Amino acid sequence: MPGGSVISFSCVDSSLSSLKNCQSYINTGMDIATNVALDLVESCNDEEEVNSMERVMLEYAAMDRELKHYMQAVQDTVHQIKRDKPEDIPDLKDVVKQKFTALESKNKDSDLQKNEKYMHFMEQLKRMRKQFGLQSDADANEAIEQIDEDIAVTQSQMNFICPITQMEMENPVRNKVCGHTYEKAAILKIIQHREHQKKKASCPKIGCTNLDVKKTDLVQDEVLKRAIDSQNKQSRTML
Ligand SMILES: [Zn+2]
């Protein structure tokens, strides 16, 4: 064919999108495992069961890494073919496999520990245990070192009122940077509004010096949500 052969990448694109689906299943699985672990702490604090959830999380993190490497290998291969336009199309499967193996050869255990969802899992678990007064020795030692931070965390944990809406939060998110919590919809609205004005959103908590609240700084605060829900449940049963 003149001007080099034309390759259709549509089958690659469709397989990439089904891989992305797999990734969303992994994410959902990790969210479920996190909730199960928090349930376990709340109901019986069976250390062994909670640890098994941590292992599940690490397995998910490993799957996530493998999938990401595979998708990257496929994308790199496509880019390479598009760029080099080789006369003879190499066996794409082989090229992908080589690239994938190269990426996997750099795997480290610490990669898994740095997985964002795994980190979130560990952090929520720690806060949940703290709330129930169930600190492990390691957490307790760390707590002594960071006593100021702990007081701040405990105080914000006890505060169920959103600094924006002045109402009890239903879907609290916590700012990873300054530790303050807000109602999700309310803070997102502020960020969006400020973005529109091409300005940064500052933390609405009075006295906070964080002048740049980003969407990516916000994490779901499952522990606080549970505390609010259980308080509401209690006050309902008392009526
Ligand atoms: Zn703040």
Side-chain angles (χ1 to χ4, degrees):
M1 201 184 289
S5 28
V6 177
I7 320 158
S8 166
F9 289 108
S10 62
C11 64
V12 180
D13 288 339
S14 75
S15 53
L16 273 180
S17 81
S18 64
L19 288 174
K20 282 195 183 116
N21 272 337
C22 286
Q23 203 166 28
S24 78
Y25 296 141
I26 291 176
N27 282 335
T28 309
M30 289 179 104
D31 289 343
I32 293 171
T34 305
N35 272 313
V36 170
L38 294 178
D39 277 344
L40 286 167
V41 174
E42 202 170 15
S43 60
C44 56
N45 196 42
D46 186 330
E47 194 80 23
E48 201 43 52
E49 296 279 331
V50 176
N51 287 344
S52 78
M53 279 302 127
E54 188 187 339
R55 284 193 294 277
V56 169
M57 288 300 282
L58 288 170
E59 275 165 34
Y60 272 126
M63 281 197 279
D64 186 59
R65 177 179 63 188
E66 195 178 335
L67 193 61
K68 278 187 180 136
H69 282 164
Y70 190 73
M71 291 200 291
Q72 200 189 330
V74 172
Q75 271 160 346
D76 288 352
T77 305
V78 171
H79 283 154
Q80 189 185 323
I81 303 287
K82 280 184 178 166
R83 187 190 59 219
D84 300 348
K85 299 188 180 66
E87 288 283 315
D88 303 307
I89 302 301
D91 186 340
L92 294 181
K93 248 187 192 164
D94 277 351
V95 181
V96 170
K97 202 176 163 192
Q98 271 172 25
K99 290 185 189 294
F100 175 70
T101 313
L103 287 168
E104 286 280 291
S105 70
K106 292 184 199 130
N107 282 354
K108 285 190 280 300
D109 280 350
S110 60
D111 300 342
L112 305 180
Q113 250 106 52
K114 282 186 217 140
N115 177 288
E116 205 175 317
K117 288 224 175 242
Y118 174 77
M119 280 165 57
H120 182 64
F121 168 88
M122 292 305 280
E123 187 260 357
Q124 292 274 291
L125 207 57
K126 192 171 143 188
R127 276 158 42 80
M128 192 77 181
R129 283 178 170 144
K130 200 174 282 173
Q131 190 183 310
F132 283 82
L134 303 161
Q135 280 173 332
S136 69
D137 286 348
D139 286 349
N141 285 338
E142 202 182 319
I144 293 163
E145 284 162 26
Q146 312 182 331
I147 202 135
D148 288 341
E149 197 192 323
D150 278 351
I151 291 167
V153 168
T154 318
Q155 277 170 352
S156 71
Q157 225 173 51
M158 288 303 114
N159 196 354
F160 296 169
I161 304 297
C162 169
I164 307 162
T165 63
Q166 301 301 329
M167 281 171 15
E168 192 176 86
M169 290 179 271
E170 280 173 25
N171 199 356
V173 287
R174 200 162 45 83
N175 192 320
K176 284 191 281 185
V177 176
C178 61
H180 292 129
T181 43
Y182 337 93
E183 181 65 46
K184 188 179 180 183
I187 187 70
L188 289 180
K189 206 169 154 189
I190 290 182
I191 295 173
Q192 206 177 24
H193 182 68
R194 298 292 288 173
E195 253 172 21
H196 214 71
Q197 300 174 317
K198 305 217 182 309
K199 284 179 182 156
K200 289 172 180 173
S202 47
C203 175
K205 180 84 185 173
I206 293 166
C208 183
T209 53
N210 183 0
L211 301 177
D212 186 10
V213 179
K214 296 186 207 71
K215 230 185 197 165
T216 48
D217 296 336
L218 306 175
V219 285
Q220 220 58 273
D221 197 334
E222 192 56 39
V223 176
L224 183 59
K225 185 175 162 50
R226 279 161 185 265
I228 296 171
D229 288 350
S230 86
Q231 183 197 255
N232 288 342
K233 218 194 263 167
Q234 269 171 20
S235 54
R236 264 199 302 274
T237 47
M238 283 194 315
L239 288 176

